[in-house]
Amino acid sequence: MDNLSKRLLQASCAVALSATAIQPGMAQSTGKLLKTGNKFFEQENYRASIPYYEQVLAKDPNNAKALFNAGIAYLSFDKEKASDYIYKAQRLKPKVSKDVEYWLGRVDHLNYNFDEAIAHYQSYNATLKAKKSNEVRRQEVAQLIQHSKNAKVLFNSPKDIFVKNLGPSINTQYAEHSPVISSDDKVLLFTSRGQYTGAATNKKKLAADGEYFEEIYESRRIDDENWEKPRSLGQALVTKGHDASTQLYDNDSKLLMYRDDENGDIFSSDKVNGEWTAPKKLNSNINSKAYESDAYITPDGKTLYFSTGKYSEDGTLDLYYSTRGSDGDWGPAKSMGGAINTKYDDDSPYLSKDGKTLYFSSRGHNTMGGYDIFKSAYDSIGHKWGAPENMGYPINTPDDDSYYRLSPDGSYAYLSSYRIGGYGEKDIYTINYIKNATVKGKVFAKDSTTVIPGVELVFSGKQADNTPLSFRDVSKPDGSYQVAMLSGRTYQVAVSKDGKNIETQEFAIPVSTNDSTTITKNFYIAYIDTSMASMYPFSKIYFDTDKYKLRPESIVVLNDIAQKLVAAPGLNIQVEGHCDSRNTDEYNMVLGQNRANAAKKYLVTKGVADTRLTTVSYGERRPAAPNDSPENMQLNRRDEFRVVLKEGETMPMTTPAAAPAVGAPMGAPTTPPAAPQPPLPGKSKAKMADGTKVKTKVDEDSDKVKVKTKGAAGEKSKTVSKNGEVDSKAKDATGAKDKVKIKPE
């Protein structure tokens, strides 16, 4: 309702009906009730009009005129109810008012229905006859259409901002605004039109709009979330009109404030012995007979920025500044320039501590509607302020957002705003940028305490504007991972190992507004270890350039692999074909597949079942070495062999039993590795999952390993391994014996 009020503070009413408001008599007729409600409505005393309209509607629910006017009145403090009332009035009586399309546009805009708002404004514009008296109205509608277009763009590109209401200790059903924070961030001064206990007696009277006059209050912080009950700053700062807080400065010893004097002026008060003195008006370079709304003094005390209607033709507010002269008083006012000031109201200036960023409120520029918060950066080379930038949604909304003030450390801000979900009319909010949270934990096998290393976790989410986010880590040998990622959203977590997806989980991270939040999240995944290469370290085979014919030395390696596969019939492997980077990726994928197929075909001829062998080509995508020399390229022209298990299977035991690899996990296969790593000297005992007891002894030079096993059913084995030679004896549960000797080739 921008055209119904000059000042943001006086623009709207509170939602709850005051006990001191005029109460209509129950015995009055519907006609008299409607007439009385209309009288207050025309005076813009919407608070007083509401009870009369509601009594009309209690008797006549379909009274279109009462619904329409009540809807406009509710627009000040209940946007959704306002929409319901005006839409119902229009359905009952399409021509309830010649301005009905205008007001439907207003309620749709404030309720975030921007396309519908534009359509209503356009319909309304079509009803305005082409005559000079309607030109101002046409310009206003054109601006409102642009507001809806701006709002649609900004709403669809939100910032990662956390907006938080200061709560019922500060905010009421009435308007609260103009937050001023002390230098230690422990005391909040603000302005309210509420009826707090202890308010000065002359404030009990109502202003012409049915609201209480503005008064300055103080509240002390209890903790990060709570504030003490506000108290009035005292009689010295109270008048019969409006008084509003603007800024604490000079080490919190002075208060800059607004007072309802000569249409509104800027005053200053000193704090002496803990009490505020009678405010003094700033000089005529700052104040005038026009409306001065808000001001800010820089930390060095040398410059004052303020808003005034003195220099505009129609009394709209512009931003000016003044520097302190040698006499200690403020010098002539100078305009902030055309980059900042518009033909609409520009108000509430505030500077960052370093003086490089100006924050202000404006009804011009690309506002979403009403006042929006803008910022402008100072160009120290050109000595001018840059083009203002709308701070975006959700800092700004389709309604009034003003009085943006940074906290002392600059990590968050305060502002006054009338938005859906508040306590009534304008409330005071904090604005925090959403920060990263550190998420850490471990990856376990499901329903166990076994950690799983090498698991890739990819957290995928979106920023507020739907820009994709992705954070990644791989679990360490102890199963741990740690990721710092943007909080306040739900992530899809893709869990994979060895390039194969295991599962996808969903994980929500609450909003964090600091950089020290840590969240522990353990993942329990349905995973069966399919990488037994440490138990079966099959050698690689290599190929000539652009060939997939098996070399003679490759036949020797494949014979060894076939022998081990025949000895372990439950063992399955994947043959992986690789290439250097000499040809295209597409060509190399085919060549890699041919190399894998060549090895598989040979193993089948040696008695390995086809169903136990799978093949895959990685082409040039997984190089073993950089493709920067003939020697390295040879390393990349290869086949690798990886042990795989089908889900639900366990690694098989070979027959006859042989020594398990030293240091292998319990339950590992007992086929000795072709090229084991030197074991550590000493003795060890272990009990396997099936009850088998294993004793291992390694001599001082690590060249001789003796392993004894004893099964739960009485089966025994003894294996001695020295310098690659294996001598194994075994007896099963029936007493049958077997011997195996393996000598290196």
Side-chain angles (χ1 to χ4, degrees), residues 70 127 137 168 196 207 221 247 268 284 302 369 584 587 602 675 723:
T127 67
R137 195 64 162 170
Y196 288 101
R221 186 188 296 278
Q247 180 192 3
S268 178
S284 58
K302 295 180 179 179
T584 64
Y587 182 89
Y602 183 83
N723 297 325

Side-chain angles (χ1 to χ4, degrees), residues 77 138 176 183 206 209 219 244 263 283 290 305 321-322 391-392 394 526 558 577 585 624 702 717 726 744:
F77 44 86
R138 287 182 183 277
E176 280 75 40
S183 56
L206 299 179
D209 60 4
S219 178
N263 289 319
N283 70 23
Y305 296 83
Y321 71 96
S322 170
M391 295 192 70
L558 290 172
D585 179 63
S702 298
S717 74
V726 178

Side-chain angles (χ1 to χ4, degrees), residues 84 90 173 245 267 449 522 536 668:
D84 292 341
Q90 193 244 9
Q173 59 195 14
S245 48
F267 287 70
T449 58
N522 294 326
Y536 291 88

Side-chain angles (χ1 to χ4, degrees), residues 322-339:
S322 170
T323 55
R324 197 185 292 273
S326 57
D327 60 354
D329 212 348
W330 299 109
K334 298 178 181 179
S335 172
M336 294 287 290

Side-chain angles (χ1 to χ4, degrees), residues 1-2 75 87 99-111 113-128 137-138 140-149 368-370 398:
M1 300 171 68
D2 300 347
L75 195 63
Y87 262 100
D99 296 331
V100 65
E101 288 292 331
Y102 169 88
W103 288 106
L104 288 172
R106 293 302 304 271
V107 295
D108 273 335
H109 177 84
L110 294 175
N111 283 286
N113 302 316
F114 305 121
D115 288 334
E116 292 86 344
I118 292 171
H120 285 302
Y121 289 142
Q122 290 172 336
S123 295
Y124 176 69
N125 204 38
T127 67
L128 297 175
R137 195 64 162 170
R138 287 182 183 277
E140 180 188 359
V141 173
Q143 184 196 21
L144 292 173
I145 290 173
Q146 188 59 51
H147 287 174
S148 292
K149 291 179 178 179
M368 292 180 71

Side-chain angles (χ1 to χ4, degrees), residues 177-183 185-191 216-219 227 244-249 252 254-257 276 294-295 350 403 405-406 408 414-415 428:
H177 60 85
S178 301
V180 173
I181 193 71
S182 63
S183 56
D185 205 13
K186 293 182 179 180
V187 178
L188 175 71
L189 273 61
F190 66 98
T191 302
I216 304 173
Y217 292 88
E218 175 187 270
S219 178
W227 297 85
S245 48
T246 298
Q247 180 192 3
L248 283 171
Y249 67 104
D252 298 345
K254 299 180 185 297
L255 173 65
L256 208 60
M257 60 177 289
W276 293 104
D294 203 353
Y350 178 82
Y403 303 104
R405 300 291 186 264
L406 289 170
Y414 295 85
L415 92 163
I428 298 174

